[in-house]
Amino acid sequence: MPSFQSLSPNVEPPRSEAELLQRALSLAGRSFAEIAQQHQTGIPQHLRKQKGWGGMLMELCLGASAGSKPEQDFPHLGVELKTIPISTKGRALESTYVAITPLLELKGIDWQHSNVRLKLAKVLWVPIIAERGIPVAERVISTPFLWSPSPAQEAMLQKDWEDHMELISLGKIDTITAHQGEILQIRPKAANSKVRTQATGPNGQIIATLPRGFYLRSRFTSGLLADHFGLN
DNA sequence: CACTGATCATGT
DNA sequence: ACATGATCAGTG
C-alpha cells in the first residue's frame, strides 16, 4: 500500500464522523516529518516559538475549517479536534486548553450553554508522542480516538465550571489560581502577563485583569488515554 | 514528575 | 483586543 497518496494537500472537510475518524486513524504511526512533507510545509526545530504548529498541521490533514472562529473545528459534525502531547508510556505531558474564560456579561451563561461544554461535547483526540527530547520531525502520531464526556465526567466538569464562574460573578477573578478545580482549572491565556481585559471587581466595578482560559488537567486527560487504550 | 504562571504565532 | 492553535520554563 503506497503511503504517498493516502493524504493530499487541501483536504476537503470530512462528510461524516466515520470519515473523520478514518482519516485520523490513517495518521497513526506516522511522523511529523512525513506528514509535513506531504503538505509541503516546513518543520520547526522546536515549538518554543510555534506552539500551535502540531495542531495546525492536524487541522490541515483532517480538513478542519481554518481560521480562529469561536466554534468547533468540525461544526457540521459537532466535533472538536485536540492534539495531546504524550509520553512513550501514554501519559499526557501537558494540560489541554479548552476555551477562553468569560469574565463579563455572565448573566445569560449557564453550564448547558457554556463554551466549555460545547467544545468538549465531542472531541477527536490526536495523541502525539512528544517528549521534549524527541525532535519535532521525529514525533509520531499515536492512535486518535473520539470521546464524549460520560455522565460522571460531565458532572465533574460542570461542578468545576460552576465553582469557577460563581467566583468570577462575585468579582473574585483575581483570587482564582490554577490550584482550583478538580479537573478543570483556570490559567492565564495571553501573549504575556501585561495583557489586560475587563472583568468585574470585588465591589461590582469594572477592573482590568489578565485574560484567562479553561484547561483540562493532565491527570484527567491521562485518564482518558488510559480508558481508551485499556491501560488501567 | 506534576504543577503553575508565562509565553508565542497567526488571523479577524 | 480577542480567539484560534498550544508549549515553555521554573519550582517543589
Side-chain angles (χ1 to χ4, degrees), chain A residues 31-49:
Chain A
S31 69
F32 272 155
E34 243 183 300
I35 294 168
Q37 184 171 38
Q38 287 175 342
H39 289 266
Q40 305 184 323
T41 274
I43 304 173
Q45 291 303 301
H46 52 72
L47 300 182
R48 183 181 179 184
K49 292 196 177 293

Side-chain angles (χ1 to χ4, degrees), chain A residues 159-191:
Chain A
K159 183 185 188 310
D160 282 347
W161 184 90
E162 288 176 346
D163 287 350
H164 290 312
M165 294 309 294
E166 179 173 7
L167 288 173
I168 292 168
S169 299
L170 293 172
K172 297 183 176 176
I173 179 60
D174 286 339
T175 73
I176 298 179
T177 77
H179 294 282
Q180 289 152 261
E182 293 294 322
I183 62 176
L184 186 72
Q185 62 180 173
I186 287 181
R187 304 219 307 281
K189 176 60 174 167

Side-chain angles (χ1 to χ4, degrees), chain A residues 116-177:
Chain A
V116 172
R117 184 169 181 275
L118 174 69
K119 296 274 179 103
L120 296 184
K122 189 172 288 184
V123 178
L124 176 63
W125 294 103
V126 180
I128 297 163
I129 301 173
E131 283 169 349
R132 291 192 192 180
I134 306 177
V136 176
E138 295 173 25
R139 295 183 185 181
V140 171
I141 313 301
S142 185
T143 305
F145 62 99
L146 281 164
W147 167 82
S148 290
S150 69
Q153 289 167 338
E154 176 156 349
M156 289 191 292
L157 290 166
Q158 177 170 357
K159 183 185 188 310
D160 282 347
W161 184 90
E162 288 176 346
D163 287 350
H164 290 312
M165 294 309 294
E166 179 173 7
L167 288 173
I168 292 168
S169 299
L170 293 172
K172 297 183 176 176
I173 179 60
D174 286 339
T175 73
I176 298 179
T177 77

Side-chain angles (χ1 to χ4, degrees), chain A residues 94-112:
Chain A
E94 293 288 347
S95 56
T96 299
Y97 170 68
V98 178
I100 284 291
T101 306
L103 300 177
L104 227 42
E105 297 170 17
L106 309 175
K107 292 181 181 176
I109 310 180
D110 64 8
W111 167 249
Q112 294 299 324

Side-chain angles (χ1 to χ4, degrees), chain A residues 6-85:
Chain A
S6 47
L7 281 176
S8 60
N10 302 315
V11 178
E12 302 290 328
R15 281 163 287 182
S16 67
E17 188 179 293
E19 184 178 351
L20 173 59
L21 184 58
Q22 184 173 26
R23 253 182 223 179
L25 288 171
S26 76
L27 299 173
R30 309 176 64 163
S31 69
F32 272 155
E34 243 183 300
I35 294 168
Q37 184 171 38
Q38 287 175 342
H39 289 266
Q40 305 184 323
T41 274
I43 304 173
Q45 291 303 301
H46 52 72
L47 300 182
R48 183 181 179 184
K49 292 196 177 293
Q50 297 185 63
K51 301 182 178 185
W53 182 83
M56 305 294 275
L57 184 61
M58 290 303 102
E59 288 187 341
L60 264 177
C61 288
L62 298 173
S65 16
S68 51
K69 296 179 281 256
E71 289 188 352
Q72 291 155 313
D73 295 293
F74 303 96
H76 56 302
L77 302 179
V79 173
E80 174 74 8
L81 171 65
K82 289 287 178 197
T83 61
I84 181 167

